[in-house]
Amino acid sequence: MADVLLTADRTLMSDYHQNEFLGFGTCAPPNVIPDWLYSFLFFPPMKAVNGVSLAAPYGLRKVEAQLLGEGFKVLTVDPDHIGKYLDEAKVLGIHVMDPFGLGPASSTFAAILKKEPFLAQYFRRFLEKPEVRKAKKRGLKIVVGGSGVWQFKYRENFVEEYGIDCIIDGEAERVIGKIVRAALNGEELPKYYEVSVEETPKLEEIPNILNPSVNGLVEIGRGCCRGCKFCSVTLRPLRWYPIEKTLAEIDVNFKSGYTRYACLHAEDVMLYGSRNTTPNDKKLVMLHEAVVKKCDGGIGWSHCSLATVALKPKLFSKLAEIILQKQPWWGTEVGIETGSPELAKKMMPAKAHPFKPEEWPEVVRTGMGLMHDNNLVPACTLIVGVPEETENDLIKTIELVEDLKHIRSLIVPLFFVPLGKLKNQQWFKETQMTRLHRELLIKCLRHDFRWIDNLIDLSFAGKWYAKPMRSLYTFFVKLIERKARKAGIT
Ligand code: SF4
C-alpha cells in the first residue's frame, strides 16, 4: 500500500472528452443546465482501474515520478475513490490550478454570474469528504502544490479550517522529497514553502513522467523570456527539453494505451530551442517532424505567441504543413491582452519583440490571419481593468476585436488579477466596469457565438459520438445565447 497518495479534484482529474478547450468550462459557475449534465459535458470523470487514474494532470505526474525516483511508495488516485486508499496513507498531495476560482477566467465568470465557479466548489467538496476528514483527524498530512497555490495567501482561514499542512509554491522537483520525508517522520512542516530560484530544478534534475498525463500533455520547456508585468511565469528561468526527453514522455502516454495524441506544452511553443524572441527554425522543424512521425492521433500546442508567428510566416507555414499531414486543424492558447500600443508598452513591453510594442495591434492582426490561413485555432485572452488602463486603450481593444471577426477563434476577456510584478495592485471588480468594458465584453461574446458552431464541428469531427455530443453542446450554446439576448447583451 502507498504511504503517499496524489490526487486532484474532479475538475482537474478529467480529460474533458479529450478536448482541452472544454476544460475552460470548469471556470464557469452553475448556470442554465443542471449541474450533472454540465459536469458530464465539460469535465466527465477520468477512467480509473480500482480507483487508480488512467491519466492525471501533468504536474502531478512529475511529482509522482520524482517521489517514486526517491524511493517513496506513491499512488495517484481518482478523487472519487480516495477513500479506498486513505486508511494506509500518511501524506495526501493535492494538485491545484485555481482552487478558489480567483484565476482570471473563473473570477470573471463569477463576478458576472455572481456564483462560485465549479472548480472552487469541487476543490472544497473534496476536502469536505468524510473519508478525508477522518484521515485528517488520524494524522494525515495534506500537502498542496500546483500553479494555483498563490490563492491560498488570500484564504488563510481556509488553510487552517481544512487542515492543509504545507503549500509548495514553485517547481517542486528538488523540494518535494524532503517535505514528504519530514511529513512521514512526523516533523513540523513549513506552512508556505516558496521554492527559491536556487532550488528551481535544472533540466537534468527534471524526471520524465512514468504514467500517462491528461490529454497526452508533455512539456517541451519551462519559463518565458518576455517578462509581462501581470504574469508569474516570467519569474522562472528558461529551459528547453532535448527532443529525446519529449519523445520519451510521449512513449509513456502511448504505451499505456491511453492516447495517441500529444499536446506540446511551453509558454511559447514557437520559441522551442531559442534563447531569445526569434524562433529557431532548425530545432522547431526537427521537433515537429519527430513528434508528428510518432503521433498518429495528432498533436496540439498549449501556448503560442503572435509575435513569433508574424515574424516567421514561412517557418509557421512549414510547421503547419508538417502538423496537418495527420490532422485537419490544431489548437493553442494565445495572449492578445490588449489592442492598445500604449498599454502594451506599459504592461508587456517585450510581448511583441522583436517588433516594437507600438506595432502590437498589427502583430496581432498578422499573426491571427496566419493562424486562420494555416488551420491553427487560437483560444485568445484579453485582460481588462489592468492598472493604468484608459478609455483610449479600451477603444483600441474593441477596434482590434472588430478587426478579428473573420478569424476562426475564441476571444475571452478576463478581469485583471494581481500577479507577477503587479501582485500588490488592486483586483479589478465588476463594479468598476464602465460602458466601454461592457461594450468589449459584448463584442467578444458576439465573436465567440459567431464561431462556436464551427469549433464544435471541428472538435467532434470523425468521433463516433460526434452527433449526440454536437447536439448537446449546440443546445447549451443556444440556451446561453437566448439568456444573453434576454439580458440585452447580444
Ligand atoms: S504572459 Fe505569456 S508571454 Fe508574457 S511573460 Fe507570461 S508566459 Fe511570457
Side-chain angles (χ1 to χ4, degrees), residues 224 226-228 230-231 233-234 267 337 351:
C224 176
R226 293 194 187 270
C228 304
F230 48 79
C231 174
V233 172
T234 199
E267 301 310 330
E337 323 306 9
K351 187 96 163 172

